[in-house]
Amino acid sequence: MEMLSAKNVDYIYQSKYQKVQALKDVSCSFEAGTFYAIIGHSGSGKTTLLSVLAGLGTPVRGSVYVGETPLDEIGQERHRRENVSLIYQGFHLFPTLTVLENVMYPMQIVKRSQKEAAARARELLASVGLKKEQEKKFPAMLSGGEQQRVAIARALSSSAKVILADEPTGNLDTENGKVVIGLLKQLVAEKNYCVIVVTHDLDIAAQADVVYRMTDGKLDREERAV
Amino acid sequence: MFALTEVWRDLYRNKGKSFLVFLFGILVIFCIAFYMGNIQNNEAILRNLSQTIPVTVQVVGTNGNRQAGLEIDQKHIEALLSGGISDSLYTMLAGGNIDEKNQKQPIQYCDTSMIGINDSSLLSPLIREQISYAQGWDESLFSGDQPACVISTDYASRHRISLGGTIEFPLYVWEYEEDDMHFRFVEVGKASLVVAGTYVSSEVAAGNASDVAVPARWLQSFLQDAGLDYTYASFQGTVADPLQLNEWKAGMKKAGFQEVDPDSFKEREGNALEVNDRLFIETADRIQENIRIFRWFQAPFLSLIVLLIVFVLFLVLRSSRREIAIALSLGRPGFLCALRCFLENALLMLLGCVVTLPVLLAATSLGLGDILVMEGIFLVCAFLSIIIALAFLFSMNVLELLTKID
């Protein structure tokens, strides 16, 4: 089932000093229960594509679709709230919220009760391997790997079934990186999530079901044996 | 509910930032209070200026040479008393002949001079301090209308009068005939006065004081009962509302008072006014100019305050860009993110107002109403500034912080 797709997308990045066409006629689709990797050199447009898919940027041409529905009709804020979850290289947890509060946050945005949100957050933290005594800590008190696991738990706390991960292991050591990728693959296998990972790491790309290669704003799907 | 929880949590967990904004708010409130307080103080000084620099008025003769012994008609006195004069002091003159031999017509002169006064301060200090009053009498007799008098001991011994006794004599008023240059005496009636007080004074021998001092109101009613027109010998007072001085002067001009004409030969006719207003006008002008300048700069000052708050709050809010970006990336509506920031900072500003209110009440002369107005102005500036700062912040692409474009 096609969960997310982009059709003929162009994206132009306008800075103070220059104008860059980061995406050129990009078309791609992403299905449930599949682990995708988008690889390419720095500056090729991988993160830009992820941003557009997440509704963090508006293409100048073409559209992003959620199933059959264009993103324009859904609205970017609602799309980020209900359809996709984001995981970043820099974790991007709220520094003044505890681990538990960080995971509860997406649920509280959609007005779930405090009690329900707390209970669900505890389950998710346990599922990513974090101990109960860590839930009252602040992110700065955790290791990089632990922070990324909190970010994954937070990503799982919304109703979204698509996870967009931008270099999720970029700030982690090898061991922790393996744990994080393992968690993401587990979500794909066990819960039918669609996981899209932007990465430089060819080892991670090798574990993906589908690999897209980005070169100078153009996207090509690489065929590989299943 | 979640929004309020978020606000409280953020304020509490970012204590340093919260305290900084709170302190900044207090500083701005004090700046506004200082500025606005200056205006209020100047206005209060201006309102009360008549008490520190009273504008006194004296009726004088036409050519300004005389201030006493005038002939001020009733019409002019009534115009003054009903025309915004306070603390008025006036005198009336009359005469009598206590010696029977002097009572034969035509009356050539009076052996008893009488002065009617409406306040004991019109007596010379030397006499006033020395008066011994009979039981039941004091200096308040002059503001009443009882038939009583105060005489010198010299006069009392000459005419064998004792304290508490009664003197009786025919009372005369006189008119000065300018053509013939002599006084014409008109008998009014027989005055019977209780000797309420006596004094010892050498001024009597020198001829500076009248023999008999009576309440002016008694003399007025005595003359009125006789059906006579009468005049006043002197009048002075204080303009009650000197801030309306021009209007008052116009009113007095309408009532028949004129400016002093030094070239005139007339000096007894009490129809000119000497107004001691120079110091008051100079001082009031300076204060009004100060007020005018402060008021003129009020809008630019408040605009500067708004800019300052915008600048500081923008810097404070900018430090929260990352948190805002994370919230937006999780699908939190931008409006709610902005509202949370607004509420946090607005609450701190409001807290600043609450804390400074008792301080301003205790440390300044400003009233509660004035302080509330000032703090209201501050809150309007603060809220406006927060909104402007947020507008600047959200006009930037905060989400770029989360996604490095490669």
Side-chain angles (χ1 to χ4, degrees), chain A residues 11 23 38 45-59 64 71 76 79-80 84 86 88 164 166 198, chain B residues 397 399-400 402-406:
Chain A
Y11 187 88
L23 299 176
I38 302 176
K46 310 185 296 297
T47 302
T48 308
L49 175 60
L50 210 69
S51 301
V52 169
L53 290 172
L56 294 175
T58 308
V64 171
L71 182 50
Q76 291 184 342
H79 176 63
R80 290 197 295 274
V84 298
L86 288 150
Y88 302 92
L164 305 170
D166 185 14
V198 160
Chain B
N397 190 349
L399 292 171
E400 268 184 23
L402 303 177
T403 55
K404 55 175 180 63
I405 305 297
D406 62 356

PDB file of all heavy atoms in Angstrom, chain A residues 11 23 38 45-59 64 71 76 79-80 84 86 88 164 166 198, chain B residues 397 399-400 402-406:
ATOM      1  N   TYR A  11      12.240  21.661  -6.046  1.00  0.00           N
ATOM      2  CA  TYR A  11      12.345  22.520  -4.844  1.00  0.00           C
ATOM      3  C   TYR A  11      13.514  23.453  -5.012  1.00  0.00           C
ATOM      4  O   TYR A  11      14.615  23.027  -5.336  1.00  0.00           O
ATOM      5  CB  TYR A  11      12.513  21.659  -3.579  1.00  0.00           C
ATOM      6  CG  TYR A  11      12.466  22.485  -2.302  1.00  0.00           C
ATOM      7  CD1 TYR A  11      11.253  22.761  -1.670  1.00  0.00           C
ATOM      8  CD2 TYR A  11      13.640  23.014  -1.751  1.00  0.00           C
ATOM      9  CE1 TYR A  11      11.194  23.524  -0.519  1.00  0.00           C
ATOM     10  CE2 TYR A  11      13.587  23.781  -0.594  1.00  0.00           C
ATOM     11  CZ  TYR A  11      12.370  24.042   0.017  1.00  0.00           C
ATOM     12  OH  TYR A  11      12.311  24.803   1.171  1.00  0.00           O
ATOM     13  N   LEU A  23      15.976  20.119  -5.648  1.00  0.00           N
ATOM     14  CA  LEU A  23      15.303  18.917  -6.176  1.00  0.00           C
ATOM     15  C   LEU A  23      14.857  19.203  -7.622  1.00  0.00           C
ATOM     16  O   LEU A  23      14.314  20.266  -7.907  1.00  0.00           O
ATOM     17  CB  LEU A  23      14.067  18.567  -5.333  1.00  0.00           C
ATOM     18  CG  LEU A  23      14.306  18.235  -3.850  1.00  0.00           C
ATOM     19  CD1 LEU A  23      12.982  17.999  -3.131  1.00  0.00           C
ATOM     20  CD2 LEU A  23      15.191  17.009  -3.707  1.00  0.00           C
ATOM     21  N   ILE A  38      17.763   6.507   1.517  1.00  0.00           N
ATOM     22  CA  ILE A  38      18.086   7.498   0.476  1.00  0.00           C
ATOM     23  C   ILE A  38      19.543   7.867   0.692  1.00  0.00           C
ATOM     24  O   ILE A  38      19.917   8.381   1.756  1.00  0.00           O
ATOM     25  CB  ILE A  38      17.191   8.743   0.578  1.00  0.00           C
ATOM     26  CG1 ILE A  38      15.712   8.358   0.461  1.00  0.00           C
ATOM     27  CG2 ILE A  38      17.566   9.758  -0.503  1.00  0.00           C
ATOM     28  CD1 ILE A  38      14.748   9.526   0.637  1.00  0.00           C
ATOM     29  N   GLY A  45      20.819  16.749  -1.979  1.00  0.00           N
ATOM     30  CA  GLY A  45      19.396  17.080  -1.829  1.00  0.00           C
ATOM     31  C   GLY A  45      18.613  16.062  -1.023  1.00  0.00           C
ATOM     32  O   GLY A  45      17.380  16.092  -1.019  1.00  0.00           O
ATOM     33  N   LYS A  46      19.304  15.163  -0.329  1.00  0.00           N
ATOM     34  CA  LYS A  46      18.615  14.095   0.425  1.00  0.00           C
ATOM     35  C   LYS A  46      17.740  14.676   1.525  1.00  0.00           C
ATOM     36  O   LYS A  46      16.562  14.341   1.662  1.00  0.00           O
ATOM     37  CB  LYS A  46      19.627  13.158   1.077  1.00  0.00           C
ATOM     38  CG  LYS A  46      20.720  12.620   0.161  1.00  0.00           C
ATOM     39  CD  LYS A  46      21.575  11.595   0.910  1.00  0.00           C
ATOM     40  CE  LYS A  46      22.343  12.190   2.084  1.00  0.00           C
ATOM     41  NZ  LYS A  46      23.295  13.198   1.636  1.00  0.00           N
ATOM     42  N   THR A  47      18.338  15.551   2.340  1.00  0.00           N
ATOM     43  CA  THR A  47      17.595  16.128   3.466  1.00  0.00           C
ATOM     44  C   THR A  47      16.464  17.014   2.958  1.00  0.00           C
ATOM     45  O   THR A  47      15.385  17.056   3.559  1.00  0.00           O
ATOM     46  CB  THR A  47      18.548  16.915   4.373  1.00  0.00           C
ATOM     47  OG1 THR A  47      19.591  16.056   4.837  1.00  0.00           O
ATOM     48  CG2 THR A  47      17.819  17.517   5.559  1.00  0.00           C
ATOM     49  N   THR A  48      16.707  17.676   1.838  1.00  0.00           N
ATOM     50  CA  THR A  48      15.652  18.519   1.259  1.00  0.00           C
ATOM     51  C   THR A  48      14.448  17.664   0.878  1.00  0.00           C
ATOM     52  O   THR A  48      13.293  18.037   1.145  1.00  0.00           O
ATOM     53  CB  THR A  48      16.173  19.261   0.014  1.00  0.00           C
ATOM     54  OG1 THR A  48      17.379  19.950   0.331  1.00  0.00           O
ATOM     55  CG2 THR A  48      15.141  20.247  -0.500  1.00  0.00           C
ATOM     56  N   LEU A  49      14.718  16.505   0.276  1.00  0.00           N
ATOM     57  CA  LEU A  49      13.623  15.615  -0.099  1.00  0.00           C
ATOM     58  C   LEU A  49      12.858  15.171   1.141  1.00  0.00           C
ATOM     59  O   LEU A  49      11.620  15.181   1.165  1.00  0.00           O
ATOM     60  CB  LEU A  49      14.181  14.397  -0.854  1.00  0.00           C
ATOM     61  CG  LEU A  49      13.152  13.307  -1.202  1.00  0.00           C
ATOM     62  CD1 LEU A  49      12.034  13.881  -2.091  1.00  0.00           C
ATOM     63  CD2 LEU A  49      13.816  12.116  -1.892  1.00  0.00           C
ATOM     64  N   LEU A  50      13.601  14.853   2.207  1.00  0.00           N
ATOM     65  CA  LEU A  50      12.950  14.424   3.450  1.00  0.00           C
ATOM     66  C   LEU A  50      12.079  15.547   4.004  1.00  0.00           C
ATOM     67  O   LEU A  50      10.960  15.314   4.471  1.00  0.00           O
ATOM     68  CB  LEU A  50      14.029  14.025   4.461  1.00  0.00           C
ATOM     69  CG  LEU A  50      13.621  12.953   5.454  1.00  0.00           C
ATOM     70  CD1 LEU A  50      13.445  11.610   4.743  1.00  0.00           C
ATOM     71  CD2 LEU A  50      14.646  12.823   6.560  1.00  0.00           C
ATOM     72  N   SER A  51      12.598  16.777   3.939  1.00  0.00           N
ATOM     73  CA  SER A  51      11.847  17.942   4.451  1.00  0.00           C
ATOM     74  C   SER A  51      10.562  18.119   3.665  1.00  0.00           C
ATOM     75  O   SER A  51       9.501  18.391   4.237  1.00  0.00           O
ATOM     76  CB  SER A  51      12.689  19.213   4.344  1.00  0.00           C
ATOM     77  OG  SER A  51      13.876  19.076   5.071  1.00  0.00           O
ATOM     78  N   VAL A  52      10.650  17.960   2.366  1.00  0.00           N
ATOM     79  CA  VAL A  52       9.455  18.135   1.522  1.00  0.00           C
ATOM     80  C   VAL A  52       8.448  17.033   1.820  1.00  0.00           C
ATOM     81  O   VAL A  52       7.250  17.301   1.942  1.00  0.00           O
ATOM     82  CB  VAL A  52       9.852  18.144   0.033  1.00  0.00           C
ATOM     83  CG1 VAL A  52       8.628  18.063  -0.878  1.00  0.00           C
ATOM     84  CG2 VAL A  52      10.648  19.410  -0.299  1.00  0.00           C
ATOM     85  N   LEU A  53       8.946  15.820   1.988  1.00  0.00           N
ATOM     86  CA  LEU A  53       8.040  14.708   2.317  1.00  0.00           C
ATOM     87  C   LEU A  53       7.383  14.921   3.689  1.00  0.00           C
ATOM     88  O   LEU A  53       6.250  14.496   3.924  1.00  0.00           O
ATOM     89  CB  LEU A  53       8.808  13.386   2.321  1.00  0.00           C
ATOM     90  CG  LEU A  53       9.282  12.880   0.948  1.00  0.00           C
ATOM     91  CD1 LEU A  53      10.202  11.651   1.101  1.00  0.00           C
ATOM     92  CD2 LEU A  53       8.115  12.526   0.043  1.00  0.00           C
ATOM     93  N   ALA A  54       8.107  15.576   4.577  1.00  0.00           N
ATOM     94  CA  ALA A  54       7.574  15.821   5.936  1.00  0.00           C
ATOM     95  C   ALA A  54       6.687  17.059   5.989  1.00  0.00           C
ATOM     96  O   ALA A  54       6.111  17.363   7.030  1.00  0.00           O
ATOM     97  CB  ALA A  54       8.732  15.985   6.920  1.00  0.00           C
ATOM     98  N   GLY A  55       6.605  17.792   4.873  1.00  0.00           N
ATOM     99  CA  GLY A  55       5.797  19.011   4.903  1.00  0.00           C
ATOM    100  C   GLY A  55       6.501  20.166   5.600  1.00  0.00           C
ATOM    101  O   GLY A  55       5.856  21.089   6.088  1.00  0.00           O
ATOM    102  N   LEU A  56       7.833  20.098   5.624  1.00  0.00           N
ATOM    103  CA  LEU A  56       8.600  21.202   6.204  1.00  0.00           C
ATOM    104  C   LEU A  56       9.022  22.211   5.134  1.00  0.00           C
ATOM    105  O   LEU A  56       9.618  23.216   5.439  1.00  0.00           O
ATOM    106  CB  LEU A  56       9.851  20.658   6.917  1.00  0.00           C
ATOM    107  CG  LEU A  56       9.597  19.798   8.151  1.00  0.00           C
ATOM    108  CD1 LEU A  56      10.903  19.227   8.680  1.00  0.00           C
ATOM    109  CD2 LEU A  56       8.899  20.597   9.228  1.00  0.00           C
ATOM    110  N   GLY A  57       8.755  21.892   3.900  1.00  0.00           N
ATOM    111  CA  GLY A  57       9.058  22.800   2.798  1.00  0.00           C
ATOM    112  C   GLY A  57       8.041  22.588   1.696  1.00  0.00           C
ATOM    113  O   GLY A  57       7.510  21.475   1.526  1.00  0.00           O
ATOM    114  N   THR A  58       7.757  23.640   0.947  1.00  0.00           N
ATOM    115  CA  THR A  58       6.751  23.544  -0.121  1.00  0.00           C
ATOM    116  C   THR A  58       7.442  23.521  -1.476  1.00  0.00           C
ATOM    117  O   THR A  58       8.219  24.430  -1.785  1.00  0.00           O
ATOM    118  CB  THR A  58       5.798  24.744  -0.059  1.00  0.00           C
ATOM    119  OG1 THR A  58       5.289  24.856   1.266  1.00  0.00           O
ATOM    120  CG2 THR A  58       4.653  24.597  -1.044  1.00  0.00           C
ATOM    121  N   PRO A  59       7.216  22.491  -2.293  1.00  0.00           N
ATOM    122  CA  PRO A  59       7.866  22.455  -3.609  1.00  0.00           C
ATOM    123  C   PRO A  59       7.325  23.556  -4.527  1.00  0.00           C
ATOM    124  O   PRO A  59       6.184  23.984  -4.393  1.00  0.00           O
ATOM    125  CB  PRO A  59       7.491  21.070  -4.149  1.00  0.00           C
ATOM    126  CG  PRO A  59       6.323  20.624  -3.344  1.00  0.00           C
ATOM    127  CD  PRO A  59       6.332  21.349  -2.058  1.00  0.00           C
ATOM    128  N   VAL A  64       3.339  16.386  -3.186  1.00  0.00           N
ATOM    129  CA  VAL A  64       3.520  15.238  -2.310  1.00  0.00           C
ATOM    130  C   VAL A  64       2.123  14.686  -2.034  1.00  0.00           C
ATOM    131  O   VAL A  64       1.178  15.456  -1.862  1.00  0.00           O
ATOM    132  CB  VAL A  64       4.218  15.660  -1.007  1.00  0.00           C
ATOM    133  CG1 VAL A  64       4.223  14.519   0.013  1.00  0.00           C
ATOM    134  CG2 VAL A  64       5.636  16.131  -1.283  1.00  0.00           C
ATOM    135  N   LEU A  71      -0.895  16.663  -0.447  1.00  0.00           N
ATOM    136  CA  LEU A  71      -0.532  17.245   0.855  1.00  0.00           C
ATOM    137  C   LEU A  71      -1.177  18.612   1.043  1.00  0.00           C
ATOM    138  O   LEU A  71      -1.542  18.994   2.157  1.00  0.00           O
ATOM    139  CB  LEU A  71       0.996  17.347   0.935  1.00  0.00           C
ATOM    140  CG  LEU A  71       1.609  17.887   2.232  1.00  0.00           C
ATOM    141  CD1 LEU A  71       1.059  17.176   3.446  1.00  0.00           C
ATOM    142  CD2 LEU A  71       3.132  17.749   2.197  1.00  0.00           C
ATOM    143  N   GLN A  76       0.061  21.088   6.002  1.00  0.00           N
ATOM    144  CA  GLN A  76       1.377  20.634   6.464  1.00  0.00           C
ATOM    145  C   GLN A  76       1.395  20.328   7.959  1.00  0.00           C
ATOM    146  O   GLN A  76       1.990  19.330   8.389  1.00  0.00           O
ATOM    147  CB  GLN A  76       2.437  21.688   6.119  1.00  0.00           C
ATOM    148  CG  GLN A  76       2.701  21.791   4.633  1.00  0.00           C
ATOM    149  CD  GLN A  76       3.821  22.764   4.297  1.00  0.00           C
ATOM    150  OE1 GLN A  76       4.184  23.607   5.105  1.00  0.00           O
ATOM    151  NE2 GLN A  76       4.366  22.652   3.104  1.00  0.00           N
ATOM    152  N   HIS A  79      -0.397  17.115   8.576  1.00  0.00           N
ATOM    153  CA  HIS A  79       0.421  16.031   8.021  1.00  0.00           C
ATOM    154  C   HIS A  79       1.519  15.633   9.014  1.00  0.00           C
ATOM    155  O   HIS A  79       1.731  14.438   9.281  1.00  0.00           O
ATOM    156  CB  HIS A  79       1.039  16.528   6.705  1.00  0.00           C
ATOM    157  CG  HIS A  79       1.984  15.581   6.058  1.00  0.00           C
ATOM    158  ND1 HIS A  79       1.598  14.330   5.597  1.00  0.00           N
ATOM    159  CD2 HIS A  79       3.296  15.703   5.754  1.00  0.00           C
ATOM    160  CE1 HIS A  79       2.631  13.715   5.057  1.00  0.00           C
ATOM    161  NE2 HIS A  79       3.676  14.525   5.138  1.00  0.00           N
ATOM    162  N   ARG A  80       2.168  16.624   9.606  1.00  0.00           N
ATOM    163  CA  ARG A  80       3.243  16.312  10.557  1.00  0.00           C
ATOM    164  C   ARG A  80       2.693  15.753  11.856  1.00  0.00           C
ATOM    165  O   ARG A  80       3.367  15.034  12.588  1.00  0.00           O
ATOM    166  CB  ARG A  80       4.062  17.572  10.859  1.00  0.00           C
ATOM    167  CG  ARG A  80       4.908  18.042   9.702  1.00  0.00           C
ATOM    168  CD  ARG A  80       5.982  19.013  10.185  1.00  0.00           C
ATOM    169  NE  ARG A  80       5.421  20.248  10.708  1.00  0.00           N
ATOM    170  CZ  ARG A  80       5.117  21.305   9.960  1.00  0.00           C
ATOM    171  NH1 ARG A  80       5.290  21.273   8.649  1.00  0.00           N
ATOM    172  NH2 ARG A  80       4.630  22.389  10.513  1.00  0.00           N
ATOM    173  N   VAL A  84       3.206  11.627   9.500  1.00  0.00           N
ATOM    174  CA  VAL A  84       4.639  11.320   9.517  1.00  0.00           C
ATOM    175  C   VAL A  84       5.229  11.656  10.886  1.00  0.00           C
ATOM    176  O   VAL A  84       4.721  12.511  11.607  1.00  0.00           O
ATOM    177  CB  VAL A  84       5.417  12.090   8.419  1.00  0.00           C
ATOM    178  CG1 VAL A  84       4.948  11.712   7.025  1.00  0.00           C
ATOM    179  CG2 VAL A  84       5.325  13.584   8.633  1.00  0.00           C
ATOM    180  N   LEU A  86       9.194  12.368  12.652  1.00  0.00           N
ATOM    181  CA  LEU A  86      10.560  12.732  12.257  1.00  0.00           C
ATOM    182  C   LEU A  86      11.581  12.340  13.326  1.00  0.00           C
ATOM    183  O   LEU A  86      11.322  12.494  14.514  1.00  0.00           O
ATOM    184  CB  LEU A  86      10.647  14.241  12.013  1.00  0.00           C
ATOM    185  CG  LEU A  86       9.945  14.698  10.734  1.00  0.00           C
ATOM    186  CD1 LEU A  86       9.410  16.100  10.873  1.00  0.00           C
ATOM    187  CD2 LEU A  86      10.907  14.630   9.570  1.00  0.00           C
ATOM    188  N   TYR A  88      15.820  12.930  13.947  1.00  0.00           N
ATOM    189  CA  TYR A  88      16.912  13.741  13.425  1.00  0.00           C
ATOM    190  C   TYR A  88      18.265  13.224  13.906  1.00  0.00           C
ATOM    191  O   TYR A  88      18.367  12.563  14.939  1.00  0.00           O
ATOM    192  CB  TYR A  88      16.767  15.186  13.889  1.00  0.00           C
ATOM    193  CG  TYR A  88      15.465  15.841  13.496  1.00  0.00           C
ATOM    194  CD1 TYR A  88      14.368  15.811  14.361  1.00  0.00           C
ATOM    195  CD2 TYR A  88      15.314  16.486  12.268  1.00  0.00           C
ATOM    196  CE1 TYR A  88      13.172  16.416  14.004  1.00  0.00           C
ATOM    197  CE2 TYR A  88      14.129  17.088  11.914  1.00  0.00           C
ATOM    198  CZ  TYR A  88      13.053  17.045  12.787  1.00  0.00           C
ATOM    199  OH  TYR A  88      11.877  17.650  12.437  1.00  0.00           O
ATOM    200  N   LEU A 164      10.283   9.293   9.118  1.00  0.00           N
ATOM    201  CA  LEU A 164      11.326   9.915   8.293  1.00  0.00           C
ATOM    202  C   LEU A 164      12.519  10.176   9.201  1.00  0.00           C
ATOM    203  O   LEU A 164      12.399  10.905  10.174  1.00  0.00           O
ATOM    204  CB  LEU A 164      10.817  11.232   7.687  1.00  0.00           C
ATOM    205  CG  LEU A 164       9.522  11.124   6.883  1.00  0.00           C
ATOM    206  CD1 LEU A 164       8.989  12.512   6.541  1.00  0.00           C
ATOM    207  CD2 LEU A 164       9.754  10.346   5.600  1.00  0.00           C
ATOM    208  N   ASP A 166      16.440  11.403   9.457  1.00  0.00           N
ATOM    209  CA  ASP A 166      17.549  12.108   8.797  1.00  0.00           C
ATOM    210  C   ASP A 166      18.846  11.804   9.527  1.00  0.00           C
ATOM    211  O   ASP A 166      19.102  12.313  10.614  1.00  0.00           O
ATOM    212  CB  ASP A 166      17.270  13.611   8.797  1.00  0.00           C
ATOM    213  CG  ASP A 166      18.321  14.383   8.015  1.00  0.00           C
ATOM    214  OD1 ASP A 166      19.106  13.777   7.262  1.00  0.00           O
ATOM    215  OD2 ASP A 166      18.367  15.633   8.160  1.00  0.00           O
ATOM    216  N   VAL A 198      17.487   8.724   5.572  1.00  0.00           N
ATOM    217  CA  VAL A 198      18.508   9.426   4.775  1.00  0.00           C
ATOM    218  C   VAL A 198      19.845   9.118   5.433  1.00  0.00           C
ATOM    219  O   VAL A 198      19.985   9.295   6.647  1.00  0.00           O
ATOM    220  CB  VAL A 198      18.228  10.937   4.743  1.00  0.00           C
ATOM    221  CG1 VAL A 198      19.469  11.730   4.362  1.00  0.00           C
ATOM    222  CG2 VAL A 198      17.077  11.249   3.805  1.00  0.00           C
TER     223      VAL A 198
ATOM    224  N   ASN B 397      12.503  31.392   8.959  1.00  0.00           N
ATOM    225  CA  ASN B 397      12.238  29.983   8.745  1.00  0.00           C
ATOM    226  C   ASN B 397      12.857  29.197   9.904  1.00  0.00           C
ATOM    227  O   ASN B 397      14.005  28.761   9.829  1.00  0.00           O
ATOM    228  CB  ASN B 397      12.806  29.525   7.404  1.00  0.00           C
ATOM    229  CG  ASN B 397      12.344  28.129   7.051  1.00  0.00           C
ATOM    230  OD1 ASN B 397      11.764  27.427   7.884  1.00  0.00           O
ATOM    231  ND2 ASN B 397      12.588  27.710   5.823  1.00  0.00           N
ATOM    232  N   LEU B 399      12.163  26.355  10.976  1.00  0.00           N
ATOM    233  CA  LEU B 399      12.318  24.922  10.741  1.00  0.00           C
ATOM    234  C   LEU B 399      13.666  24.594  10.108  1.00  0.00           C
ATOM    235  O   LEU B 399      14.117  23.447  10.146  1.00  0.00           O
ATOM    236  CB  LEU B 399      11.171  24.406   9.873  1.00  0.00           C
ATOM    237  CG  LEU B 399       9.812  24.442  10.595  1.00  0.00           C
ATOM    238  CD1 LEU B 399       8.688  24.142   9.616  1.00  0.00           C
ATOM    239  CD2 LEU B 399       9.780  23.426  11.726  1.00  0.00           C
ATOM    240  N   GLU B 400      14.296  25.609   9.517  1.00  0.00           N
ATOM    241  CA  GLU B 400      15.622  25.378   8.949  1.00  0.00           C
ATOM    242  C   GLU B 400      16.608  24.916  10.001  1.00  0.00           C
ATOM    243  O   GLU B 400      17.593  24.244   9.682  1.00  0.00           O
ATOM    244  CB  GLU B 400      16.155  26.695   8.350  1.00  0.00           C
ATOM    245  CG  GLU B 400      15.833  26.878   6.884  1.00  0.00           C
ATOM    246  CD  GLU B 400      16.467  28.141   6.335  1.00  0.00           C
ATOM    247  OE1 GLU B 400      17.462  28.595   6.927  1.00  0.00           O
ATOM    248  OE2 GLU B 400      15.970  28.632   5.327  1.00  0.00           O
ATOM    249  N   LEU B 402      16.216  22.688  12.134  1.00  0.00           N
ATOM    250  CA  LEU B 402      16.159  21.249  12.342  1.00  0.00           C
ATOM    251  C   LEU B 402      16.743  20.473  11.164  1.00  0.00           C
ATOM    252  O   LEU B 402      17.219  19.365  11.326  1.00  0.00           O
ATOM    253  CB  LEU B 402      14.706  20.797  12.542  1.00  0.00           C
ATOM    254  CG  LEU B 402      13.964  21.464  13.696  1.00  0.00           C
ATOM    255  CD1 LEU B 402      12.528  20.984  13.732  1.00  0.00           C
ATOM    256  CD2 LEU B 402      14.655  21.180  15.025  1.00  0.00           C
ATOM    257  N   THR B 403      16.635  21.081   9.996  1.00  0.00           N
ATOM    258  CA  THR B 403      17.037  20.351   8.798  1.00  0.00           C
ATOM    259  C   THR B 403      18.179  21.088   8.136  1.00  0.00           C
ATOM    260  O   THR B 403      17.998  22.164   7.601  1.00  0.00           O
ATOM    261  CB  THR B 403      15.870  20.266   7.805  1.00  0.00           C
ATOM    262  OG1 THR B 403      15.397  21.584   7.519  1.00  0.00           O
ATOM    263  CG2 THR B 403      14.733  19.443   8.356  1.00  0.00           C
ATOM    264  N   LYS B 404      19.328  20.534   8.190  1.00  0.00           N
ATOM    265  CA  LYS B 404      20.417  21.190   7.472  1.00  0.00           C
ATOM    266  C   LYS B 404      20.231  20.852   6.008  1.00  0.00           C
ATOM    267  O   LYS B 404      20.026  19.700   5.648  1.00  0.00           O
ATOM    268  CB  LYS B 404      21.770  20.745   8.009  1.00  0.00           C
ATOM    269  CG  LYS B 404      21.997  19.257   8.002  1.00  0.00           C
ATOM    270  CD  LYS B 404      23.421  18.932   8.444  1.00  0.00           C
ATOM    271  CE  LYS B 404      23.660  17.429   8.445  1.00  0.00           C
ATOM    272  NZ  LYS B 404      23.541  16.821   7.126  1.00  0.00           N
ATOM    273  N   ILE B 405      20.302  21.887   5.170  1.00  0.00           N
ATOM    274  CA  ILE B 405      20.062  21.669   3.755  1.00  0.00           C
ATOM    275  C   ILE B 405      21.386  21.280   3.127  1.00  0.00           C
ATOM    276  O   ILE B 405      22.351  22.028   3.200  1.00  0.00           O
ATOM    277  CB  ILE B 405      19.537  22.956   3.071  1.00  0.00           C
ATOM    278  CG1 ILE B 405      18.295  23.454   3.823  1.00  0.00           C
ATOM    279  CG2 ILE B 405      19.272  22.723   1.620  1.00  0.00           C
ATOM    280  CD1 ILE B 405      17.127  22.478   3.793  1.00  0.00           C
ATOM    281  N   ASP B 406      21.426  20.059   2.609  1.00  0.00           N
ATOM    282  CA  ASP B 406      22.695  19.625   2.015  1.00  0.00           C
ATOM    283  C   ASP B 406      22.561  19.341   0.540  1.00  0.00           C
ATOM    284  O   ASP B 406      21.469  19.326   0.005  1.00  0.00           O
ATOM    285  CB  ASP B 406      23.227  18.414   2.755  1.00  0.00           C
ATOM    286  CG  ASP B 406      22.297  17.232   2.664  1.00  0.00           C
ATOM    287  OD1 ASP B 406      21.196  17.380   2.080  1.00  0.00           O
ATOM    288  OD2 ASP B 406      22.636  16.164   3.177  1.00  0.00           O
TER     289      ASP B 406
END
